[in-house]
Amino acid sequence: MPAILVPTEKWAGKVREVTLGGDSRKKVVVGGETTLPFLHFDGVIPHAPAIAIDVEDVAPQNWSPVLGAVWGDVMREGLAAWARKAVEAGADMVALTLRSADPDMGNTGPAEAVEAVKKVLAAVDVPLIVYGPGIAAKDNEVLVAVSDAFAGKRLALGLCEDKNYRTIVATCMANGHIVIANSPIDINLAKQLNILITDMDMPGDRILMDPTTGALGYGLEYTYSVMERLRVAALLGDSMTAMPMILNPGREGWRFKEAKTRDGVPTQWGDLEGRGIAWETTTAIAQLQAGADILVMRHPKAVGLVKRAIASLMATNY
Amino acid sequence: MALSGIAIYKLLPKTNCKDCGFPTCLAFAMKLSQQGIKLSACPHVSEESKQALDASARPPIQLVTVGTGERAFSVGNEVVMFRHEKTFYNPTALAVRVKTSQSREAIAATVAAVDAYSVERVGIHMRLNAIAIDDAKGDPAAFASCVEQVSSITKMPLILISKDPRVMEAGLSKVAGRRSLIYAANSENVAQMAALAAKHGSPLAVQGDGLSQVAEVVEQANKAGVEELVLDPGARGFGNTLNTFTQIRRLALKSKERLVGYPVIAFPGEGSISPEEEALLASQLVIKYAGIVVLDHFAPHHAYPMLTLRQNIYTDPQKPIQVEPGVYPIRDPGRDSPVLVTTNFSLTYFSVAGEVDGSGMPAWLVICDTDGLSVLTSWAAGKFDGAKIAKTVTTHEVGSRVDHRFLLIPGHVAVLSGEIEEELPGWSVLVGPREGIDIPGYLKNVWTARLQGAKK
Ligand code: B12
Ligand code: SF4
């Protein structure tokens, strides 16, 4: 019998471990791998990638009808019900977007933001990710208030970009939270932002990096390769690319026509519900293969499918 | 792996006779190592040297072609572990399996649907590649009749599945000359299966439990003269296929291990609990190293995302898919039709063109040269600005095609309005919606009202 000896890669680097939550709440640890995704014969993967589910503080206006069909009732019942249902659907964490702070969606302020976070923290005991509305000035205003009000809860706060990183990093440092560093699909920009953040003395194990999601068919090939390159750089020993990666296949995967439109599309696109779910899961599986440590998702069936895939990818007894 | 010029030189006659058109054997060898010419240009090379050189010219992962004619496909010949290192070349072939245990009607329906399936994305028509026929009954006559039925419906390449050489022979005899893939040779039947492959000029799949067993069967198939092989090392499920296929690719590319230097075939339906799970695993297999994926279920809502993923992953990372800049008429526009401005990234162009076409309203699309970047990306990169848009509008004489003076721009770049109006005196900018999906509504309502208003 020919002897086949598989060459192994001994990487010098290691992805940093980041702990979310804790205190009196559940905690989730991500990162720590010394190998490319799920290659158990090369190194160790101490923690499975975690799944967060998106909730918003006002019922979203233009989500896909497929998402409306599963979340519609709890969206109307309110944030606490929505967060509880997310955990029932299998979320390891909840990702709350403070949408109402958007000037077009109500322009609410710090008080309302703190109130929303309080509701979610009371309703569920999993770790919490909090996103601002995505407008730098408003993000700063509401995230600083949330950070102060919930010191020590080890929330993950974002997005922290090159425009506004100082404010968000400073408040996360002061209050023991984690920053989500977002850069636009570029390995050097991602690294640069991590350097800027650590230069402020933020400990490296309190940074998650978000290299930006391009959904399936909408830039996935770019984000996929940037993630792969970031992870290879980390394993080669570059500590400034070694932060665990967080991606949003839910938000991006459900944004486009393929996941939203039932009528007036080619019949070859098939049934909308199945297509939308597949758009989210296909985006997610590519990101897992490229090194995602946290996936923020939306559809409960997509979450179920991806969780089963992760379980298989983490197993070593086949 | 290709040999160096010096290594090739050692295999040549070293007479410097110049018959090849080169001044010396060494010069010829150097050129040959760069793969610019063929060995046959030297009339004096010995048979032994020819064989040695042929073997070394084989790529680390053998190129395997299945089927004939327009729908034949090739897999293998990949040269990198990661697409960013160069590119992935030969897209994973997607096949759908039917079984002899199914009714003839069910088989006919599946085969016809798979054969006809074609979906367009960024101007490229994407299709499934093959039909696999599984001998579920172990009966040569039943298999032959099923192969005959399928081949009468489709010209797609076929994958014939049986462990029994008698059954395989019966099937192959119905599709002589079609280069069907034989699945599979294993340690028990390799002699007969390799003989069938040689006789029919068919590629051969080799099946084994683990890499060593596969390599052993490959060695025997090679000895029988069969070189176009596909491997099934028995891995099933997400974790097992990822680890095993990565090992195979690494062995082929890094260790130059010839015995596993072939494309891999996978069966994501085996062990999956639902068609959804099968589809998700198939997507992983497209990314992580499968040459051929045989599906047990076909549904358009799964095929479309899977084919889109394949298109994404197999796009050359150095070259975004672009369209030619210029003015594109949609649905025969006239002097009152709207003028929409966008970029020459294929995805952007086709998204917008699709929406405009879907709206039923004729329109002019002005495509600016942004080096194939999307709206926001090119804006952020400084390649989509007032000056660029103005220049495109002027160069292509957009003003001579319409009576109005409205330019509709993407909502994402509303900030460009002022700049454009400054650069294009007489024109007014209308800021359209941000997402393509909202263009039809906008054209029907807002645009129509604005045009009416302007006419009064
Ligand atoms: C893939 C991608 C890239 C790829 C390029 C892909 C390409 N060929 O364009 C790469 C990795 C190369 C890239 C690079 C950069 N990127 Co980029 N990229 C993306 C990403 C993920 C998707 C873009 C995309 O393909 N969208 C799909 C296409 C179809 O969308 P679109 O062109 O906008 O078209 C839609 C609409 O605009 C509308 N529409 C289009 N035309 C028209 C016309 C009319 C009249 C109307 C009404 C509507 C309309 O319809 C379409 C369908 O909805 C986005 C983030 C995201 N998730 O969306 C960031 C993004 C666009 N990039 C961004 C940035 C900053 C950059 C860089 C400058 C970063 C850097 N490294 O310096 C570079 C610039 C490039 C360079 N220097 O060469 C930012 C832009 C930020 C901003 N608001 O200005 C984004 C938003 C990411 C972010 N959140 O920060 N990027
Ligand atoms: S034809 Fe052959 S032998 Fe003659 S010079 Fe060329 S390589 Fe050498």
Side-chain angles (χ1 to χ4, degrees):
Chain A
M1 181 174 287
I4 298 288
L5 283 181
V6 178
T8 50
E9 297 268 14
K10 278 285 151 271
W11 300 98
K14 177 181 174 199
V15 179
R16 292 172 195 266
E17 276 184 348
V18 173
T19 304
L20 297 98
D23 195 11
S24 56
R25 310 171 59 77
K26 275 193 186 144
K27 64 180 182 190
V28 167
V29 188
V30 293
E33 39 299 38
T34 61
T35 162
L36 288 170
F38 314 109
L39 298 184
H40 301 280
F41 61 98
D42 276 344
V44 295
I45 306 159
H47 311 290
I51 308 269
I53 291 185
D54 269 320
V55 304
E56 305 208 340
D57 66 346
V58 281
Q61 304 291 304
N62 59 354
W63 275 27
S64 164
V66 179
L67 292 171
V70 287
W71 298 111
D73 289 347
V74 288
M75 279 175 185
R76 282 182 290 277
E77 268 175 64
L79 201 44
W82 192 352
R84 271 193 295 269
K85 188 167 169 190
V87 173
E88 280 161 30
D92 304 309
M93 296 184 245
V94 168
L96 166 64
T97 299
L98 300 168
R99 186 70 64 202
S100 70
D102 187 318
D104 295 336
M105 293 291 290
N107 205 16
T108 59
E112 289 89 344
V114 168
E115 195 50 38
V117 174
K118 194 192 252 169
K119 269 190 207 153
V120 178
L121 286 175
V124 297
D125 65 353
V126 296
L128 185 59
I129 296 164
V130 183
Y131 289 118
I135 296 149
K138 282 303 275 198
D139 282 2
N140 285 352
E141 190 186 326
V142 293
L143 291 177
V144 168
V146 166
S147 167
D148 286 340
F150 302 99
K153 296 285 181 204
R154 257 184 128 81
L155 309 175
L157 301 182
L159 292 174
C160 164
E161 299 172 278
D162 59 354
K163 295 173 264 195
N164 67 342
Y165 77 97
R166 284 172 191 282
T167 314
I168 296 187
V169 173
T171 189
C172 284
M173 271 171 66
N175 296 307
H177 299 303
I178 289 152
V179 290
I180 303 176
N182 171 248
S183 50
I185 336 185
D186 185 289
I187 169 162
N188 295 316
L189 293 179
K191 179 173 173 174
Q192 180 62 26
L193 185 56
N194 288 337
I195 293 173
L196 292 172
I197 293 172
T198 37
D199 277 355
M200 286 180 68
D201 282 335
M202 181 73 174
D205 65 357
R206 292 216 330 253
I207 305 171
L208 294 170
M209 79 182 156
D210 171 359
T212 301
T213 298
L216 173 64
Y218 291 90
L220 177 69
E221 67 275 42
Y222 296 94
T223 50
Y224 177 85
S225 287
V226 165
M227 288 174 71
E228 263 192 342
R229 290 170 59 200
L230 280 167
R231 183 49 52 87
V232 168
L235 293 176
L236 285 170
D238 181 348
S239 66
M240 285 300 128
T241 56
M243 288 67 183
M245 289 191 273
I246 176 167
L247 283 305
N248 301 71
R251 189 188 61 211
E252 292 298 316
W254 288 95
R255 221 178 92 192
F256 298 96
K257 192 170 173 171
E258 284 78 355
K260 276 188 171 169
T261 311
R262 183 170 276 121
D263 302 316
V265 300
T267 51
Q268 295 95 317
W269 286 18
D271 158 64
L272 172 64
E273 187 191 3
R275 187 202 323 148
I277 292 168
W279 222 261
E280 180 176 19
T281 56
T282 308
T283 306
I285 199 85
Q287 292 171 330
L288 282 175
Q289 294 304 335
D293 295 284
I294 301 175
L295 294 173
V296 187
M297 301 187 58
R298 287 198 172 161
H299 199 287
K301 284 189 186 156
V303 170
L305 283 160
V306 170
K307 287 198 97 169
R308 274 182 56 86
I310 291 174
S312 163
L313 288 161
M314 288 300 291
T316 48
N317 54 330
Y318 28 77
Chain B
M1 195 200 61
L3 293 179
S4 70
I6 299 294
I8 296 174
Y9 173 68
K10 291 187 178 145
L11 295 165
L12 294 176
K14 306 195 195 70
T15 55
N16 299 338
C17 74
K18 301 190 176 61
D19 289 352
C20 58
F22 287 84
T24 61
C25 291
L26 185 61
F28 179 71
M30 287 303 181
K31 190 73 190 169
L32 199 60
S33 74
Q34 294 155 16
Q35 296 176 328
I37 47 165
K38 291 231 156 74
L39 178 64
S40 52
C42 166
H44 313 295
V45 68
S46 73
E47 203 46 44
E48 260 161 62
S49 297
K50 219 181 253 168
Q51 269 173 20
L53 283 167
D54 277 353
S56 75
R58 208 203 94 180
I61 299 173
Q62 175 81 297
L63 185 72
V64 174
T65 301
V66 183
T68 51
E70 219 176 275
R71 301 202 67 176
F73 67 82
S74 298
V75 289
N77 209 2
E78 300 300 338
V79 297
V80 289
M81 297 296 296
F82 305 106
R83 60 189 291 282
H84 64 255
E85 293 174 309
K86 188 152 175 60
T87 186
F88 288 177
Y89 288 103
N90 290 296
T92 309
L94 298 168
V96 176
R97 165 155 64 181
V98 296
K99 300 187 173 177
T100 53
S101 52
Q102 290 171 277
S103 73
R104 285 180 76 83
E105 295 71 41
I107 292 174
T110 302
V111 174
V114 173
D115 180 82
Y117 190 77
S118 169
V119 60
E120 195 221 283
R121 198 172 175 86
V122 300
I124 295 166
H125 294 272
M126 310 186 295
R127 309 194 75 172
L128 298 164
N129 306 88
I131 296 287
I133 305 170
D134 193 328
D135 158 46
K137 289 182 173 163
D139 172 4
F143 193 60
S145 121
C146 190
V147 171
E148 193 166 32
Q149 184 201 2
V150 172
S151 69
S152 72
I153 303 173
T154 182
K155 296 206 155 44
M156 295 172 91
L158 303 180
I159 301 170
L160 305 187
I161 301 182
S162 176
K163 301 276 153 70
D164 183 340
R166 285 180 319 125
V167 173
M168 187 59 67
E169 167 99 80
L172 281 168
S173 68
K174 298 290 177 192
V175 282
R178 273 184 65 168
R179 289 186 62 84
S180 308
L181 173 64
I182 299 174
Y183 178 97
N186 56 30
S187 45
E188 265 117 62
N189 67 15
V190 56
Q192 295 108 300
M193 288 296 195
L196 286 174
K199 176 175 160 198
H200 289 271
S202 272
L204 176 66
V206 160
Q207 198 242 319
D209 198 2
L211 297 186
S212 299
Q213 217 184 73
V214 164
E216 191 178 272
V217 183
V218 166
E219 203 168 34
Q220 287 171 267
N222 285 164
K223 278 193 189 125
V226 183
E227 289 290 346
E228 278 197 68
L229 301 176
V230 171
L231 311 180
D232 174 8
R236 298 293 183 267
F238 289 84
N240 195 354
T241 52
L242 173 70
N243 279 268
T244 310
F245 292 4
T246 303
Q247 293 178 345
I248 290 179
R249 169 99 40 133
R250 202 185 278 173
L251 279 161
L253 297 184
K254 301 250 162 87
S255 314
K256 315 291 176 208
E257 176 53 70
R258 283 309 178 76
L259 292 174
V260 294
Y262 298 95
V264 176
I265 186 168
F267 297 84
E270 295 180 8
S272 287
I273 58 162
S274 63
E276 287 73 24
E277 184 160 298
E278 176 187 34
L280 186 58
L281 175 51
S283 293
Q284 175 185 301
L285 290 162
V286 164
I287 301 171
K288 286 294 176 182
Y289 309 144
I292 302 175
V293 171
V294 181
L295 300 162
D296 285 320
H297 299 89
F298 165 69
H301 63 265
H302 286 148
Y304 180 39
M306 218 181 278
L307 290 166
T308 303
L309 178 69
R310 181 174 77 177
Q311 184 182 62
N312 281 177
I313 293 296
Y314 280 84
T315 294
D316 185 341
Q318 316 312 328
K319 299 183 215 132
I321 312 178
Q322 312 186 14
V323 294
E324 208 48 49
V327 180
Y328 289 64
I330 296 185
R331 285 184 179 255
D332 205 7
R335 306 198 65 82
D336 269 352
S337 300
V339 177
L340 292 86
V341 178
T342 190
T343 78
N344 79 324
F345 181 34
S346 272
L347 178 61
T348 302
Y349 165 76
F350 283 102
S351 309
V352 176
E355 294 299 347
V356 172
D357 187 57
S359 77
M361 280 181 63
W364 300 99
L365 257 187
V366 178
I367 309 299
C368 299
D369 184 356
T370 59
D371 291 335
L373 295 179
S374 77
V375 169
L376 272 180
T377 314
S378 59
W379 174 74
K383 291 176 178 175
F384 190 51
D385 55 15
K388 172 73 63 66
I389 293 170
K391 189 166 162 257
T392 314
V393 168
T394 320
T395 319
H396 296 280
E397 297 174 343
V398 177
S400 70
R401 301 173 201 242
V402 289
D403 293 333
H404 66 79
R405 285 292 176 268
F406 288 119
L407 276 187
L408 184 52
I409 66 167
H412 280 302
V413 289
V415 292
L416 291 180
S417 307
E419 269 179 54
I420 302 172
E421 289 182 351
E422 242 166 66
E423 301 268 348
L424 277 178
W427 287 83
S428 309
V429 168
L430 300 179
V431 176
R434 288 166 169 258
E435 299 298 342
I437 198 171
D438 299 319
I439 291 177
Y442 181 95
L443 291 182
K444 270 173 214 146
N445 306 319
V446 188
W447 160 259
T448 313
R450 287 302 291 263
L451 188 69
Q452 296 304 323
K455 283 189 171 169
K456 280 174 202 156

